[in-house]
């Protein structure tokens, strides 16, 4: 839009270049929607279009050129001078002048004139033309690299998650979106009170049914005990670990059940929901293998008024 405003007096000389830039924006928007379906791209991957390259058949059609003498001349003028219709360098109109710059911008061919303009091409022809251009190749490379980096980050480092239920209320509410980091699980052991996202264990799948959609969805709970701990819920729903009552300000209410005592086996953890009486968790299906953990929840990023990590550690 800024270019259109500044160079408005040249628009009639560059009709195809302006049309092509606008059409490029539409085409690239469509291509990016397809590329981004697989994952959420990082903001840095949304790049501005590069309009430096314009294919030859769309450059300077019907535009003007400069002769060697510095005089501004149009295509009509040059053609006229080639045929003896006027002096090329201010000489007499003797018809003997020849083009001093054969093959330059002031030489046109019938092939260029017969080519379709970009705006007259079909959608698939426009796509093909764009991919064949230097600009298209550069943009494809840029978007491919950006998408690859985004997918690699999601696979190995951090990924977003959505809260669909109230099993972790009041720490999380329905609709909260949070970031789950996937690096530290490989370098340090899990601790009590950490919130983790994990793939459901076999016992959970048996309870909800293998064919159920819930059996394949990741879950989010809080670790209340690690391997070697003795755990029980007693005295009106209070949690005890190794005989010590736990302070749990993040829970919605005390449990209305009794559990244990049990000892957490090696390689496992025990997880419970913060909404103790409305959570299908470890007190029902047992221990969670640590290898099932996808990552630790680190902070809520949406909605804006709930941004933070209160109660996650």
């Amino acid at each position: 839009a800024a270019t259109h405003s500044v160079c408005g007096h040249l628009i009639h000389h560059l009709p195809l270049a302006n049309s092509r830039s606008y059409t490029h924006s539409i085409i690239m928007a469509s291509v990016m929607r397809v590329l981004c379906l697989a994952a959420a791209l990082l903001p840095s991957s949304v790049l501005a279009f590069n309009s430096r390259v314009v294919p030859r058949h769309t450059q300077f059609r019907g535009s003007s050129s400069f002769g060697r003498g510095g005089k501004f001349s149009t295509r009509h003028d040059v053609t006229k001078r080639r045929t003896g219709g006027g002096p090329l360098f201010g000489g007499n109109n003797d018809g003997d002048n020849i083009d001093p710059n054969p093959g330059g911008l002031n030489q046109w061919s019938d092939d260029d004139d017969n080519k379709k303009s970009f705006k007259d091409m079909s959608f698939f022809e426009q796509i093909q033309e764009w991919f064949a251009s230097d600009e298209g190749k550069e943009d494809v490379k840029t978007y491919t690299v950006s998408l690859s980096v985004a997918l690699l980050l999601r696979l190995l480092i951090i990924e977003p998650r959505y809260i669909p239920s109230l099993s972790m209320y009041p720490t999380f509410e329905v609709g909260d979106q949070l970031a789950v980091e996937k690096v530290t699980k490989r370098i340090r052991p899990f601790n009590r009170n950490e919130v983790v996202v994990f793939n459901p264990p076999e016992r959970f799948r048996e309870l909800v049914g293998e064919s159920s959609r819930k059996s394949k969805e990741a879950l989010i709970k809080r670790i209340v005990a690690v391997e070697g701990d003795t755990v029980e819920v007693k005295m009106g729903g209070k949690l005890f670990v190794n005989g010590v009552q736990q302070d749990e300000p993040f829970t919605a209410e005390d449990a209305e059940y009794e559990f244990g005592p049990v000892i957490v086996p090696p390689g496992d953890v025990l997880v419970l929901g913060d909404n103790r009486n409305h959570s299908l968790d470890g007190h029902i299906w047992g221990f969670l293998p640590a290898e099932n953990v996808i990552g630790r929840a680190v902070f809520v990023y949406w909605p804006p008024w709930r941004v933070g990590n209160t109660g996650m550690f």
Side-chain angles (χ1 to χ4, degrees):
T3 303
H4 186 278
S5 175
V6 173
C7 302
H9 64 287
L10 294 178
I11 289 177
H12 66 284
H13 290 305
L14 298 172
L16 296 181
N18 284 308
S19 173
R20 186 174 185 276
S21 298
Y22 174 74
T23 308
H24 273 182
S25 299
I26 298 175
I27 292 173
M28 284 309 304
S30 300
V31 172
M32 281 308 299
R33 288 192 188 98
V34 175
L35 290 176
C36 293
L37 281 177
L41 292 184
L42 298 176
S44 59
S45 68
V46 184
L47 304 178
F49 296 111
N50 182 349
S51 57
R52 294 172 301 185
V53 181
V54 180
R56 181 172 178 270
H57 73 274
T58 61
Q59 286 184 349
F60 308 106
R61 177 169 296 178
S63 64
S64 304
S65 60
F66 285 92
R68 290 185 177 178
K71 182 180 179 181
F72 188 77
S73 58
T74 66
R75 173 182 176 179
H76 174 73
D77 294 335
V78 174
T79 303
K80 182 178 178 181
R81 291 167 190 175
R82 286 183 185 170
T83 59
L88 188 58
F89 298 110
N92 295 325
N93 183 13
D94 55 8
D96 295 330
N97 291 318
I98 61 173
D99 184 0
N101 184 28
L105 285 179
N106 57 354
Q107 180 175 353
W108 290 268
S109 68
D110 292 336
D111 289 340
D112 283 346
D113 291 335
N114 292 332
K115 284 184 178 179
K116 280 186 181 180
S117 67
F118 194 79
K119 64 181 179 181
D120 292 333
M121 294 179 181
S122 68
F123 175 76
F124 293 104
E125 288 175 328
Q126 291 175 351
I127 291 289
Q128 188 176 22
E129 175 76 6
W130 179 78
F131 273 107
S133 69
D134 291 338
E135 180 184 8
K137 293 175 183 177
E138 181 180 343
D139 287 344
V140 167
K141 180 180 178 180
T142 299
Y143 290 124
T144 300
V145 171
S146 298
L147 182 61
S148 299
V149 170
L151 292 176
L152 190 64
L153 288 173
R154 181 185 177 101
L155 179 65
L156 299 177
I157 300 178
I158 195 166
E159 69 176 57
R161 287 287 173 172
Y162 173 82
I163 302 297
S165 73
L166 288 173
S167 68
M168 283 294 291
Y169 179 83
T171 304
F172 302 118
E173 296 184 4
V174 173
D176 283 356
Q177 297 181 38
L178 60 145
V180 178
E181 65 87 10
K182 307 165 78 171
V183 177
T184 57
K185 69 174 185 177
R186 302 182 180 93
I187 59 179
R188 67 178 175 87
F190 296 108
N191 298 315
R192 301 185 198 106
N193 294 336
E194 290 181 331
V195 177
V196 293
V197 174
F198 56 91
N199 294 315
E202 188 63 32
R203 177 58 180 159
F204 176 89
R205 294 175 180 172
E206 293 174 359
L207 289 174
V208 300
E210 291 288 346
S211 60
S212 172
R213 182 173 59 89
K214 291 183 178 181
S215 67
K216 302 176 179 63
E217 292 181 348
L219 305 175
I220 182 168
K221 305 293 178 190
R222 186 182 300 274
I223 296 176
V224 297
V226 297
E227 61 178 67
D229 286 343
T230 300
V231 189
E232 58 183 323
V233 177
K234 60 182 181 179
M235 296 178 59
K238 303 296 184 181
L239 175 69
F240 287 79
V241 178
N242 299 326
V244 179
Q245 181 176 333
Q246 302 299 297
D247 180 24
E248 299 182 295
F250 41 75
T251 58
E253 56 189 354
D254 291 338
E256 295 177 356
Y257 56 80
E258 292 186 355
F259 173 75
V262 295
I263 298 177
V264 182
D268 290 352
V269 294
L270 180 67
V271 295
L272 299 177
D274 288 352
N275 197 357
R276 292 290 157 83
N277 299 310
H278 302 278
S279 176
L280 180 58
D281 52 31
H283 86 278
I284 297 175
W285 44 259
F287 302 109
L288 172 70
E291 63 185 16
N292 283 36
V293 175
I294 296 172
R296 294 176 166 93
V298 288
F299 64 89
V300 173
Y301 63 85
W302 190 265
W305 55 87
R306 289 186 52 78
V307 170
N309 59 3
T310 302
M312 295 189 196
F313 304 98

